[in-house]
Structures are given as structure tokens and as C-alpha cells.
Amino acid sequence: MIRPLRCLAALALLAGSAVCADATPAEDAAFVDALTWGITPSSFSEFRTKGREAWLREQLHPPAQPRLPAAVQAQVDALAPSGSLFDRIAALQAQGKEANAEPDPEAKQKSRRALQASLNASVKDAASATLLRALYSPDQLRERLTWIWFNRFNVHLGKANLRAMVGDYVDTAIRPHALGRFRDLVEATLRHPAMLRYLDNADNAAGHINENYARELLELHTMGVGTGYTQGDVENLARILTGIGIDARTEDPKVKPERQADLVRAGLFIFNPNRHDYGDKNLLGHTIRGRGWAEIGEALDIICSQPATARSVSRGLARAFMGSEPSGALVDTMAGVFAKSGGDIPTVLDALFHSRDFTAPNAARFKDPMRFVLSAVRLAYDGRPILNTAPMQGWLNRLGEGLFNRTTPDGYPLDAASWSGPGQMTTRFEIARQIGSGSAGLFNAVMPDATEVPAFPLIQNELYFSTLAATLSEPTRTALAQAVSPQDWNTLFLSSPEFMR
């Protein structure tokens, strides 16, 4: 298999860390594979040309504007919805009202089906754009983190009209902050209508408190369960969050003159003073004076500076990239970096990627379904743009990790144990056969009367012969030697324990 990294160099920049200045090609390949959506011949060549540290710096600090090859960018642009999210949601709400007001039952049903079709098309396009970015962005680490953070700040497409919001949530709340400050990421998710609708804070108002979002903000997004906050903290945080919601009306709500300055609107987001509890609150031992919108910023500062938040975020990042529970020592190191850097995500990740735990020979980074499917397609076609992501969306659904489809707020698990059962392996073998045997519909353009572009996966490529072949175990070599066709060989390789890791 592609052996996890083994560092022979001595201490590096951080206590307990190490660098792999003399890493073997196999170790370098494992490093690239661990940080990206899957190694390819071209990505490995770029890595070896630049060197590990220069490549890592570029991945940790990519340009602010996401980049894609021109042909892929054209596909993503074609998938982009027209108009602002505000305009789209307002139009959908109007469409829904018209359908409900339709007196003829048959016409009403037809109108409702049209509305559902619009919502389904929105989420399908959002999933396609997300997969295309993951496959072809040169800023691979940012795309990995976009998925990791989405899982931490999960929303489910099935609730209300989230199908029309989830793509914007990924593109405006998650990706731009994936390699920024954690505090900014939390606020970006707090301000997005997808989160406010999913966890019901749009219904949270003075005198009618809804604790759902406040609880998950502490339990899942930041500090973690059992880390010292109390039910009283949840209740007071819910009071702080009153008035934060969604408003698709063009006119502002009527607010008392003395509260007019407290009104905050940005697209669908609103902080409505009429719905806010202006009493003083106590959060995690801090008294927060009731004064409106400023309370939210103060609360986020307090929560994101908690040692429990530093540890929870550090543990989550390490688990996501390592596929297993990190050691307490590694979490301590990363949490210390988190605290000193003010929650700067690239600095925390740099500590992780230079740690001995991350580069240990026995690290087992078993791929979750997203990594399995994306890495297989990336290796098979190395930069050649696919024309249809529908087969990939189908594979992910079959494997139980469909995009935006986790119903519970905790998001999909990203550890190995959750994805290595017998049923999962059987399905993976079937998908490996589809990918390995031909184009599998990936090059069948989504347009009327389109003919599928000829394509065949090339897995026995330069990377395989120069680096990957040497990492295979004897049983895998024996199995591959018995392949009766290129299609059979591809299937066996993509099903091998080495590729799964």
C-alpha cells in the first residue's frame, strides 16, 4: 500500500514536530494523497518540483479567489444560479404561495411539483459544482477543508427550502473561510440563512426561545459536549441569539426609533431588534450586557477563545486528516497553536502536518466515500475534465455519504471505522468496476441529444510505475498479476487495500 509517512529528520519548528527532508517518493506520495482529494501524476510532479515545504505553503495560503482550469470554470459558471440568494428565495416563496392559493386541485399539484423540481435542480447543480471544484481545483487543501468544515457546520438539504440555499452556503460561508480564522468561519455560518433555517434560529425570539442552534453551536461547532458549559449557558446563548433570522421581504420591519440603529440586514439575514431579548445574560462566567447585535460578537469571542474550543477543533481536524483518533499530546500541541494564533487555521494545520503522529509509519488513513470516489476519478483521468457528475453523486449516495444529505447536525463521520464494513466494501468493489471499466457516464455531457465522449481510465500511468507499484503488498501484486484485461486490472487496483488508504 502507499505507506504513511516516515520522517527520519530531527526536531523541526515546533516541539514534538518533524520534517521529512529526506522523504522517499512513496512517503511524498502519501503526503500529497493525505492533504488532497487524491494524488495524480501531474499533482505529484508539481509537488516534487516545488518541494514539500514550498508546496505546503502554497496549499495553506492559496489565492483568495478560487481557481479552476478554464474548461471546468465554464462548467461551474453554467451551473451558477442567476440572481442573488435573496431574489431566488423570494421568488420561490412567491411560487409556493401561488401554488397553495390555486383553487384547482390538479393545477395546485402541478404547481407544487414544479416548485419541487426547481429545488431539486438547485441542489443537484450545487453538488455538481462542489464535485468539480474538488476534482480540479489546484488549491486542493482548501477544497478538502471545505468538505471537512461543512461536516462540522452541517445543514441538511431536506429541510424547508435548504435545497436552494446549500450551494450558496458552501460558496459564501464555508469555502472563503476554510483557511482563515476559526472565529470568522463560525460567524459566517451563523449569518447564513441555511444554518438559521436548519437549526431553527429563525424562530428564536424573545418570549419564544428556541435553543436548537445555541445548543449545537456549543456542542458541535465549538466547545464540544461535556466540556464545562451548562444548560444555563445554552439558555443564555439562545437569548443572545434572539432576533437573528431570515427576512425575504424588501421592506424593513418597523422598529422603535430608539432601536432603529440596532437593525442589521444583509441579503436574507436579519437581526430584528423587535425579536431580541435585551436583558443582561451570563455566558461561560462572563456577564454580557443586553445591547443588541453587539452581544453576538462578544459571545462568539468568548466561545471561540475557550480552551475547550481549541481542543475540539484541533481534535476534529486531526481526526479528519488522519482517519483515526489523535493522541492527547498532538491535540495539546495543536490546541496551544490555536490559542496562540487566535484560531488561525493554516497555523494549526501546519502544526498537524509537521507532527510525528501525522507522519508516523503506522498511520492508517482509510478513505471515507468522498475520498474514495474523488481519488479514483482523479487518478483515472488526471486533469481531464469530466462532463457529468451525476454518476459520482449516485455513487456517493449508494455509499451513504451523499452531498448535503446528512440529516443530523453532527455531519458525516470522517474516521475509518465508520466506512469499513462488509456492505461498504462490496459496494466499493462495484463502483471500482464501473470506474475501472470505462467512462461510466462521466463524459456524457448534460445536454439534449449529447453523445458520450470516448474515454478510458489510465491508472497504469507514470505515477504508478515510478512510485505506487513499489508500495503494493505481495497479495495485491499477486491479484493484479491475475487480471485478464485492463478493465479487470483497474477494478482490482481501485479495490485494493492500498488504494483504500
Side-chain angles (χ1 to χ4, degrees), residues 21 25 27 38 58 114 116 141 149 155 162 183 249 257 328 366 374 377 380 384 406 422 425 442-443 462 490:
E27 291 164 347
E58 290 185 4
Q116 293 303 312
L141 179 58
W149 291 131
V155 301
L162 258 70
R183 159 67 172 76
R249 295 172 296 182
F366 189 84
L374 284 163
V377 175
R384 179 178 178 179
R406 176 74 166 185
M425 294 300 97
L442 296 171
F443 293 87
E462 177 186 356
N490 290 341

Side-chain angles (χ1 to χ4, degrees), residues 312-350:
S312 176
V313 174
S314 297
R315 180 180 292 108
L317 286 171
R319 187 189 296 118
F321 280 101
M322 296 173 64
S324 59
E325 189 65 29
S327 68
L330 175 59
V331 173
D332 288 342
T333 297
M334 294 174 64
V337 173
F338 185 102
K340 290 179 182 178
S341 68
D344 183 67
I345 296 167
T347 305
V348 176
L349 288 173
D350 191 65

Side-chain angles (χ1 to χ4, degrees), residues 154-156 198 220 405-412:
N154 183 54
V155 301
H156 178 237
Y198 177 60
L220 295 176
N405 207 23
R406 176 74 166 185
T407 57
T408 52
D410 56 348
Y412 289 115

Side-chain angles (χ1 to χ4, degrees), residues 134-433:
L135 285 170
Y136 302 111
S137 172
D139 307 314
Q140 280 285 293
L141 179 58
R142 177 161 58 194
E143 294 306 315
R144 279 287 307 280
L145 281 165
T146 297
W147 176 244
I148 290 168
W149 291 131
F150 182 90
N151 269 284
R152 190 176 187 96
F153 299 93
N154 183 54
V155 301
H156 178 237
L157 62 84
K159 187 166 185 176
N161 56 3
L162 258 70
R163 282 168 287 176
M165 295 184 184
V166 69
D168 187 85
Y169 179 64
V170 172
D171 292 340
T172 66
I174 304 292
R175 183 178 292 106
H177 302 282
L179 280 163
R181 290 177 62 237
F182 181 74
R183 159 67 172 76
D184 297 336
L185 174 63
V186 175
E187 181 169 347
T189 60
L190 177 150
R191 293 175 67 111
H192 200 279
M195 179 61 72
L196 299 176
R197 176 58 65 211
Y198 177 60
L199 290 179
D200 303 316
N201 207 81
D203 302 323
N204 185 22
H208 298 86
I209 299 296
N210 188 305
E211 299 177 2
N212 287 0
Y213 179 44
R215 186 176 306 280
E216 304 304 355
L217 179 56
L218 292 172
E219 182 175 312
L220 295 176
H221 300 172
T222 57
M223 295 177 64
V225 65
T227 54
Y229 65 85
T230 66
Q231 174 59 24
D233 290 318
V234 174
E235 294 170 359
N236 279 303
L237 180 57
R239 291 176 58 210
I240 292 168
L241 296 173
T242 51
I244 295 178
I246 303 168
D247 194 343
R249 295 172 296 182
T250 55
E251 67 278 5
D252 288 341
K254 294 180 180 180
V255 178
K256 294 178 181 180
E258 63 270 24
R259 301 290 193 204
Q260 188 65 47
D262 290 351
L263 178 66
V264 179
R265 295 198 70 177
L268 288 170
F269 173 85
I270 188 170
F271 175 75
N272 187 342
N274 296 333
R275 297 168 58 83
H276 183 66
D277 180 342
Y278 274 86
D280 292 347
K281 297 94 175 173
N282 187 282
L283 178 66
L284 299 170
H286 299 261
T287 298
I288 295 182
R289 183 173 55 84
R291 61 197 189 282
W293 172 246
E295 297 173 45
I296 287 86
E298 183 179 358
L300 291 184
D301 289 341
I302 291 169
I303 295 168
C304 291
S305 64
Q306 294 294 306
T309 297
R311 291 187 60 81
S312 176
V313 174
S314 297
R315 180 180 292 108
L317 286 171
R319 187 189 296 118
F321 280 101
M322 296 173 64
S324 59
E325 189 65 29
S327 68
L330 175 59
V331 173
D332 288 342
T333 297
M334 294 174 64
V337 173
F338 185 102
K340 290 179 182 178
S341 68
D344 183 67
I345 296 167
T347 305
V348 176
L349 288 173
D350 191 65
L352 169 64
F353 298 149
H354 283 92
S355 71
R356 284 193 178 88
D357 286 18
F358 188 79
T359 57
N362 60 348
R365 299 183 179 90
F366 189 84
K367 297 174 180 177
D368 66 294
M370 274 283 285
R371 288 197 67 213
F372 170 68
V373 169
L374 284 163
S375 62
V377 175
R378 277 174 58 82
L379 183 62
Y381 292 105
D382 189 16
R384 179 178 178 179
I386 66 170
L387 303 177
N388 190 345
T389 67
M392 297 180 67
Q393 294 183 46
W395 297 331
L396 291 169
N397 286 329
R398 289 183 61 196
L399 291 169
E401 201 176 16
L403 266 70
F404 322 135
N405 207 23
R406 176 74 166 185
T407 57
T408 52
D410 56 348
Y412 289 115
L414 299 180
D415 59 290
S418 300
W419 303 108
S420 55
Q424 175 84 190
M425 294 300 97
T426 299
T427 305
R428 288 192 185 202
F429 183 84
E430 295 172 1
I431 293 169
R433 182 173 295 282

Side-chain angles (χ1 to χ4, degrees), residues 10-65:
L11 294 177
L13 300 177
L14 298 165
S17 66
V19 293
C20 296
D22 57 350
T24 66
E27 291 164 347
D28 277 343
F31 189 83
V32 174
D33 203 56
L35 271 64
T36 69
W37 279 118
I39 192 168
T40 67
S42 60
S43 67
F44 188 57
S45 176
E46 178 188 13
F47 175 91
R48 297 286 282 183
T49 298
K50 292 179 177 178
R52 178 175 298 200
E53 293 304 319
W55 181 87
L56 179 58
R57 283 195 302 272
E58 290 185 4
Q59 290 295 313
L60 288 170
H61 304 283
Q65 185 64 32

